[in-house]
Amino acid sequence: SMSKIICSAAIRGAQKIVDMAEASYEEALKKYGPEQEVSFPNTAYYLPIIYSMLGAKVEKLGDMKDIFQECRKLLPAVVSEGIWLPYLAPALDAGMATYFAEEMYEAIDYLNSPDYYTKTEDPTADNIWLGAADDVIFRKRGVEFVDGTAPGFAAIVGSPADPAIASKIALELQEKNLYIFMHTDSDGNYMPDLLVKSGVQVGWNTRLVPFGKRYTSVVFSIGFACRVAMAFGGVKPGDSRANLIYNKDRTYAFVMPFGQVSDEWYANAAGAINWGFPTISDYDIPEILPTGICTYEHVVSNVPHDEIVQKAIEVRGLKVNVAKIDIPMSFGPAFEGERIRKDDLFMECGGGRTTGVEVLISKEMDEIEDGLVTLEGPDISDIELGQNLPIGILVEVAGREMQSDFEPILERQFHHLMNYVQGIMHIGQRNIMWVRIGKGAVEKGFSFKHLGVVLHGKLHQEFGAILDKVQVKIYTVQDKVEEVMEIAKQVYEERDLRLGSMTDETEDVFYSCTLCQSFAPSHVCVITPERIGMCGAYNWLDGKASFQINPTGPNQPIDKGECTDPDNGYFTGINEFVAQASRGAVPEVSCYSLMNNPMTACGCFEAIAAMLPQCNGIMVVNRDYMGMTPSGMKFTTLAGMAGGGMQTPGFMGVSKHYMSSKKLFKAEGGVKRMVWMPKILKDEISEKLKALCEHEGMPELYDMIATEEQGTTEEEILAFLKEKGHPALEMETAMG
């Protein structure tokens, strides 16, 4: 029988693997002694398969002795010719022994070759292999297996020989939102090698993960699934049954070997079946079609390359419900973190290079034709490389359940939805939005209209409960873009006014915002009634409405807790929330200080505040200002200091609206610390800024705030401040 052939091969393979691992263990024991510490670097789960199945913590080399005994117990006798085993149990046990042995083998290899794996998430051609996922990566990526942004993974073993086929299969898997974990070779062909040579970006940020060069590295994939169950599924270490069931029901993973399958590979495939992960092969191997443990078949073979992804999805029982977004580029969350670097850039819109604005407004049902996407102005095919255009994106929606409160929430989705297009990078929002178009997208036939197709399709999919109709108007001619800008500014103004008389003291709940974590994993924005998100697009009411629409989404209520320091703005509830949401990277954050544990930022801020030590004051520079500032840095350099989810005292992202908040730099003395900002910013917020100065009892302060007209060096500004008698000069030093 077919099952018998596989079972015999799996048991033979398991024997060989356990022997090989044990030999490397004996050798390591002689070399390092039993007290030598072992681990996969920077992970809290010891050797995760062993820990999750047996509850055993392998911390020292000597701890492996008991595990090898466990392997020997699990290994059945090799099947004799005369006996037919109608069931899989012995092969499954052999598969489990295989994983225990391989995990120990890989841990010993970390001892023998500590520098074998690269230390970055974003590998380069000289060392593409990443090794076991450390906890920072695991926390960031593992949660996606729980919240649904990644339904599972494909554990790829070996590779098709043809780079074009390898790329096509990888792309199809990415489009299904799966992670692609790659291991070992087929006849010297390594899949990540072929992808890199074809110009495909590999690494965690594109979900194409080269785990290891040997077949034993498949334990990094299975171990990842075990860690998800323990960290996010509440499964206790040692509760093997719960772990297997959790993964069978929740993690849509499968094994995809290419080419001839060795005994060792049968052993690994048998191991995967324990978790409900079937094997789908392109080669003529025996099949196990009856069901029992996996949802459908266990081993399926002879699948042609152009059908293999579809077949794997079907056999694993994964429901892919994304209606196809009809554009010539690939599309999905795998491309959200992709950067468009200088060499890849075809052209860009907005971002200070040209005028750029995006806005969403609601209309009556009869005012809108659903699915209508219009473009007025030159398309990408009408321009040359490097010829930048202005852009105005006006999205009009209607729906029975639509409220104007929901407009900013829908508008803020533009950011990730446009980023989902392969070859397109979107940064910022509102009238500081910025789109970079890569050469790859242009080669595939990109048109600006495709942005409209994406926004129409995805807003329907994600917000079908509140939207019935969506139409999109895109403009790439200056006068039309200016018209959209006028509409937008009025809309933004009305939104900002809605907060009215609310203060941070009147509300017990603040809101988090993690919309930008794809570019800055540890960043958590905290939105209070008096502090709009630094992107300028999200205020407290928006957080509330967003939570109403999507209770598990990026805006979560934060019980502010006790205020332990009203000047810095420390709240017990906020610190607890941010510490957890940043996965420990940011233990403490102040709401009102620039110097003490300032708020983190991704890169989507409208402006940056920075301390000017000589002036004993604070400058603010907005994204549209291209000139030099008194800090000796331009906006782009400052952005590197304030972004990336790190806390850098003295540098902080701020929204323009926050510039007129009574809580602005409260710890440092508020608006009286403000000594410099570009004229373009001062003019834009002049009414609000004058009102704030008046509220502080110092209407004359407005004229004491310098712009580039008074100077762009700290010396020039200091002289101006002295001449004007600016209050910052009398205040205690802010550089504590």
Side-chain angles (χ1 to χ4, degrees):
S1 106
M2 288 306 172
S3 311
K4 180 178 165 186
I5 296 173
I6 288 192
C7 293
S8 316
I11 293 165
R12 274 198 312 271
Q15 297 273 14
K16 292 183 199 170
I17 289 167
V18 174
D19 290 345
M20 171 183 81
E22 203 155 19
S24 84
Y25 162 68
E26 296 296 349
E27 207 174 303
L29 213 48
K30 282 197 204 91
K31 193 167 159 191
Y32 305 108
E35 291 303 302
Q36 170 67 49
E37 288 188 3
V38 288
S39 73
F40 292 158
N42 307 321
T43 91
Y45 294 96
Y46 309 99
L47 302 186
I49 302 178
I50 293 169
Y51 186 46
S52 67
M53 292 295 113
L54 303 174
K57 300 176 181 179
V58 177
E59 299 175 82
K60 300 190 172 85
L61 202 50
D63 299 339
M64 291 185 178
K65 188 176 181 209
D66 292 348
I67 312 296
F68 278 113
Q69 285 176 343
E70 198 63 42
C71 290
R72 295 291 172 197
K73 268 190 240 160
L74 283 166
L75 280 180
V78 173
V79 183
S80 69
E81 283 310 305
I83 305 169
W84 173 53
L85 289 170
Y87 58 93
L88 275 170
L92 296 177
D93 287 348
M96 195 60 87
T98 298
Y99 285 159
F100 295 167
E102 288 178 346
E103 236 181 6
M104 292 187 285
Y105 182 82
E106 287 288 343
I108 291 165
D109 198 68
Y110 266 110
L111 280 184
N112 293 332
S113 325
D115 299 322
Y116 178 76
Y117 292 115
T118 180
K119 298 288 186 284
T120 153
E121 287 191 48
D122 194 353
T124 53
D126 30 287
N127 183 11
I128 50 178
W129 302 106
L130 292 171
D134 71 28
D135 274 349
V136 176
I137 293 172
F138 169 68
R139 287 273 155 201
K140 176 167 141 195
R141 306 290 171 170
V143 72
E144 298 179 1
F145 288 79
V146 184
D147 70 15
T149 44
F153 61 82
I156 289 190
V157 180
S159 174
D162 180 345
I165 291 174
S167 300
K168 187 173 176 297
I169 288 173
L171 196 60
E172 268 189 80
L173 290 164
Q174 278 177 309
E175 286 178 337
K176 300 289 180 280
N177 304 336
L178 296 160
Y179 274 81
I180 298 91
F181 294 155
M182 296 174 279
H183 318 78
T184 195
D185 67 311
S186 307
D187 301 324
N189 290 309
Y190 292 93
M191 183 127 165
D193 265 336
L194 299 186
L195 295 177
V196 169
K197 286 185 184 125
S198 308
V200 175
Q201 283 181 34
V202 302
W204 281 99
N205 60 345
T206 54
R207 300 192 179 189
L208 298 168
V209 182
F211 261 144
K213 201 167 181 174
R214 296 179 290 259
Y215 68 80
T216 49
S217 68
V218 84
V219 292
F220 299 151
S221 288
I222 305 296
F224 195 90
C226 291
R227 288 160 75 187
V228 168
M230 290 188 287
F232 303 110
V235 173
K236 298 277 174 286
D239 190 347
S240 55
R241 191 163 176 275
N243 194 303
L244 299 175
I245 288 170
Y246 177 92
N247 277 297
K248 177 183 190 291
D249 294 344
R250 297 283 301 263
T251 308
Y252 289 91
F254 48 84
V255 180
M256 194 182 275
F258 289 97
Q260 196 156 359
V261 177
S262 62
D263 286 355
E264 288 85 344
W265 256 106
Y266 281 119
N268 275 280
I273 290 170
N274 283 295
W275 276 263
F277 303 163
T279 289
I280 293 87
S281 161
D282 63 345
Y283 199 71
D284 187 13
I285 62 172
E287 299 192 304
I288 304 184
L289 298 177
T291 59
I293 297 152
C294 300
T295 309
Y296 301 111
E297 300 88 345
H298 295 42
V299 179
V300 180
S301 58
N302 282 325
V303 184
H305 288 147
D306 56 353
E307 292 167 24
I308 200 160
V309 173
Q310 283 304 325
K311 188 67 178 171
I313 298 283
E314 173 199 327
V315 170
R316 184 60 189 91
L318 170 58
K319 300 278 174 279
V320 177
N321 56 4
V322 176
K324 187 88 174 99
I325 299 288
D326 191 16
I327 56 173
M329 292 74 60
S330 292
F331 180 87
F335 307 108
E336 186 179 7
E338 166 201 41
R339 310 284 204 268
I340 306 295
R341 302 189 169 96
K342 277 206 183 77
D343 304 343
D344 311 326
L345 186 65
F346 183 82
M347 63 85 70
E348 45 195 337
C349 308
R353 285 126 181 89
T354 64
T355 313
V357 59
E358 59 190 31
V359 63
L360 177 139
I361 49 182
S362 45
K363 296 280 214 188
E364 294 302 319
M365 294 285 263
D366 56 6
E367 295 178 280
I368 290 188
E369 182 188 330
D370 185 49
L372 181 69
V373 178
T374 52
L375 170 68
E376 200 171 318
D379 203 347
I380 206 92
S381 52
D382 306 321
I383 61 169
E384 303 298 312
L385 176 75
Q387 184 185 337
N388 296 338
L389 293 170
I391 193 161
I393 300 177
L394 173 62
V395 177
E396 296 169 319
V397 302
R400 279 174 287 279
E401 303 296 320
M402 181 64 195
Q403 308 171 18
S404 58
D405 279 356
F406 297 160
E407 290 174 0
I409 289 92
L410 300 174
E411 185 178 295
R412 198 64 195 92
Q413 307 301 315
F414 296 6
H415 174 67
H416 74 265
L417 297 181
M418 291 190 225
N419 269 319
Y420 278 9
V421 183
Q422 189 184 20
I424 305 292
M425 186 172 173
H426 180 285
I427 299 164
Q429 69 307 301
R430 282 193 174 192
N431 53 353
I432 61 158
M433 60 82 78
W434 176 15
V435 182
R436 290 169 71 98
I437 312 283
K439 293 174 187 167
V442 177
E443 280 157 22
K444 289 187 178 155
F446 170 76
S447 153
F448 284 113
K449 277 191 163 182
H450 293 139
L451 297 178
V453 172
V454 166
L455 292 173
H456 168 262
K458 290 305 286 182
L459 287 172
H460 267 301
Q461 276 175 27
E462 292 186 13
F463 297 97
I466 52 176
L467 289 184
D468 299 307
K469 291 181 165 188
V470 180
Q471 75 182 11
V472 184
K473 296 170 180 167
I474 298 175
Y475 303 99
T476 56
V477 274
Q478 191 66 31
D479 60 335
K480 285 289 182 189
V481 173
E482 301 283 355
E483 280 175 35
V484 177
M485 184 72 86
E486 285 315 301
I487 296 171
K489 280 189 167 165
Q490 205 177 331
V491 169
Y492 305 152
E493 184 73 19
E494 283 164 17
R495 284 182 196 166
D496 293 343
L497 280 173
R498 286 181 10 240
L499 285 168
S501 58
M502 289 166 60
T503 68
D504 290 3
E505 288 73 26
T506 60
E507 305 305 317
D508 292 330
V509 171
F510 294 166
Y511 287 92
S512 69
C513 188
T514 50
L515 271 163
C516 300
Q517 276 196 349
S518 65
F519 290 121
S522 61
H523 167 54
V524 183
C525 215
V526 177
I527 300 171
T528 78
E530 293 180 82
R531 181 186 180 277
I532 286 191
M534 62 194 74
C535 64
Y538 250 53
N539 67 30
W540 185 89
L541 287 164
D542 302 331
K544 187 179 175 187
S546 164
F547 178 65
Q548 201 181 327
I549 297 173
N550 181 5
T552 57
N555 301 100
Q556 293 296 313
I558 306 175
D559 233 320
K560 74 178 182 189
E562 189 196 339
C563 180
T564 54
D565 179 340
D567 286 334
N568 281 295
Y570 285 119
F571 297 87
T572 52
I574 290 179
N575 284 340
E576 279 165 33
F577 185 93
V578 172
Q580 191 201 351
S582 70
R583 316 202 167 98
V586 183
E588 213 180 2
V589 72
S590 72
C591 292
Y592 312 141
S593 177
L594 174 67
M595 297 305 297
N596 309 319
N597 299 308
M599 219 40 102
T600 58
C602 57
C604 298
F605 31 69
E606 288 185 303
I608 293 169
M611 185 52 77
L612 295 175
Q614 282 175 281
C615 295
N616 201 29
I618 296 169
M619 62 159 248
V620 176
V621 55
N622 52 321
R623 189 178 286 274
D624 340 339
Y625 175 74
M626 292 290 157
M628 185 44 79
T629 77
S631 67
M633 295 179 263
K634 293 185 173 183
F635 181 89
T636 42
T637 313
L638 285 160
M641 321 256 318
M646 297 299 119
Q647 282 178 311
T648 317
F651 299 91
M652 185 172 70
V654 291
S655 67
K656 292 172 183 175
H657 187 267
Y658 188 48
M659 303 300 305
S660 53
S661 166
K662 298 181 182 66
K663 296 294 194 281
L664 175 77
F665 315 135
K666 189 175 170 199
E668 286 75 38
V671 72
K672 290 179 182 166
R673 277 279 180 199
M674 183 74 67
V675 296
W676 188 91
M677 67 179 69
K679 189 169 185 323
I680 173 177
L681 176 60
K682 194 173 176 185
D683 289 347
E684 186 178 339
I685 64 170
S686 61
E687 292 314 306
K688 291 177 185 165
L689 194 56
K690 281 175 183 166
L692 185 63
C693 295
E694 210 140 314
H695 176 269
E696 289 290 315
M698 264 196 91
E700 68 277 16
L701 180 63
Y702 179 81
D703 293 320
M704 297 180 182
I705 299 171
T707 70
E708 70 273 22
E709 291 180 343
Q710 281 75 46
T712 52
T713 67
E714 215 174 331
E715 292 71 23
E716 290 171 318
I717 300 311
L718 186 56
F720 172 78
L721 300 178
K722 283 179 176 161
E723 177 200 323
K724 288 280 191 187
H726 192 293
L729 302 176
E730 303 301 311
M731 296 166 86
E732 60 178 303
T733 167
M735 300 293 282

